[in-house]
Amino acid sequence: MLGYFKDFVLNIFIICSPLAVYPYIHKAKGNKVLYRFFVSILFSLSIMMTMSFPIHLNGLIYDFRSIPLAIGALYGGMQVSICLYVVLMLYRFFLNSPNGLEYVISLLPSFVVLALFYKRFHALSLARKVAVVIVFCSLIKLITFTIYLALIGEMELLLANPMGTLQTYLLQAVIAGLCAYVIHIQDQFFLMQEEMVRSEKLKVVGDMAASVAHEIRNPLTTIRGFIHLFATADLGKEKKETYKRICFEELDRAELIISDYLSLAKPDLEVVEAININHEIHYLANVLMTYANYHNIEIDVKTMKEQEFHIHGDRNKFRQALINIGKNAIEAMQSGGLLVLKTDIRDDHALIVLSDNGSGMAPEQMKRLGTPYYSTKEKGTGLGTMVSFSIIKKMNGKIDIKSELGIGTEFYFSFPKAN
């Protein structure tokens, strides 16, 4: 009994061994030739191993070759089936088993049954797949055994040990059904993984589209505001020229934003030049003016009067970063307020401060600010702030944020002085 149990466990291990590497085979499903090659190799080895270590039960010798043969043929297709049948017959010849021609003839009807029904197998539900695998395994064993005994004239062996034969059929059914179930579960798992990856890609595309729309809306809002100002009376020529220049600059910035997102935010600054931070703060105030007025926000500009201070960086990207953060500060003050734009010098570094008296942020929110897909706004994507922080860091800038809920937020941007 112990020997029978050991042989039984060994055969289970042999039959289930292809399932252990099935996840790696599944990755090759896109390449049909490679997938069929792997399935043929694995199940051929399983067939040969089961034939090499048969089960001795009540004086008779059984093996479970029909299980890997049926599963490999049904899941691999006709090309794999032909390979497995050929391997089975050749290995039987290698083992010097008698009556080779009779065995080949007795095995052919099961191949005909497979050829008639294998195409419908993949469309079946889990329960039906398990049932088909069990039935096909049993048919291979029953048809082959019956025809083989009839050809060699020993039909009396068919019912010589009915209980032993029934036991092997039941064991075979359990093992075959379990294998089919495991393969189905693995297929479903990989299908879910692929769906998750596909959904994540679609989410990234959607978030990127929303972020692009968010970034483009900034210059478009500015241009819209200045176009309204052009319609007002007693507008001086100097102001018209200033507003027109800002409109064209914002259109150019919108075009640059599109280019940046199409190239997935190029890692390097395209144009490095000396930037006067006082001029940029005044430019920022002009750009945000109409948006601030719309939200009942005042803008207070405090720049260094005694000296000019320059930093190195890409002017257009630098403006994109400050405008995005300034616009977020305005949106944080839902009931009106004051936006302070300030420049200063600290330890031979340029310091730019944007402060608001809006809703503020909790420490947990501040830690996540600037990470992908996190935003304190209900419909925000977080990508705008992430891109802004990335631009500032590429200019060797340092970012510090101070915020309290219900009081407001201060952004500190420190840059080294340009030589």
Side-chain angles (χ1 to χ4, degrees), residues 1 12 125 167-168 185 190 217 265 308 310 322 377 392:
M1 185 66 183
I12 291 178
S125 62
Q167 286 179 357
T168 60
I185 294 300
F190 289 120
R217 191 179 291 116
E308 298 291 335
H310 292 80
L322 292 184
K377 294 183 290 185
I392 291 169

Side-chain angles (χ1 to χ4, degrees), residues 231-278:
T232 60
D234 61 14
L235 189 64
K237 182 178 180 181
E238 183 178 347
K239 285 188 176 181
K240 284 185 177 180
E241 289 298 322
T242 302
Y243 295 163
K244 184 173 72 173
R245 176 176 53 81
I246 293 176
C247 286
F248 280 116
E249 287 178 352
E250 288 301 290
L251 284 172
D252 292 338
R253 189 167 67 85
E255 184 179 356
L256 286 171
I257 290 170
I258 294 173
S259 300
D260 285 343
Y261 275 91
L262 288 176
S263 60
L264 297 177
K266 294 179 181 178
D268 298 323
L269 301 175
E270 293 182 3
V271 179
V272 178
E273 57 185 319
I275 302 173
N276 187 313
I277 60 172
N278 284 347

Side-chain angles (χ1 to χ4, degrees), residues 90-108:
L90 291 178
Y91 194 68
R92 189 178 184 279
F93 175 77
F94 175 78
L95 293 176
N96 294 319
S97 298
N99 307 311
L101 180 60
E102 289 80 358
Y103 184 78
V104 171
I105 295 173
S106 63
L107 194 62
L108 288 178

Side-chain angles (χ1 to χ4, degrees), residues 57-58 62 158-170:
L57 181 62
N58 298 325
Y62 298 94
L158 186 63
L159 299 175
N161 188 359
M163 289 303 298
T165 303
L166 181 60
Q167 286 179 357
T168 60
Y169 274 90
L170 291 176

Side-chain angles (χ1 to χ4, degrees), residues 272-286:
V272 178
E273 57 185 319
I275 302 173
N276 187 313
I277 60 172
N278 284 347
H279 292 172
E280 294 306 314
I281 287 297
H282 285 290
Y283 178 85
L284 177 63
N286 286 329

Side-chain angles (χ1 to χ4, degrees), residues 38-53:
F38 285 142
V39 172
S40 301
I41 293 296
L42 283 174
F43 285 96
S44 294
L45 291 174
S46 184
I47 290 171
M48 290 187 289
M49 293 293 287
T50 54
M51 293 172 67
S52 300
F53 299 96

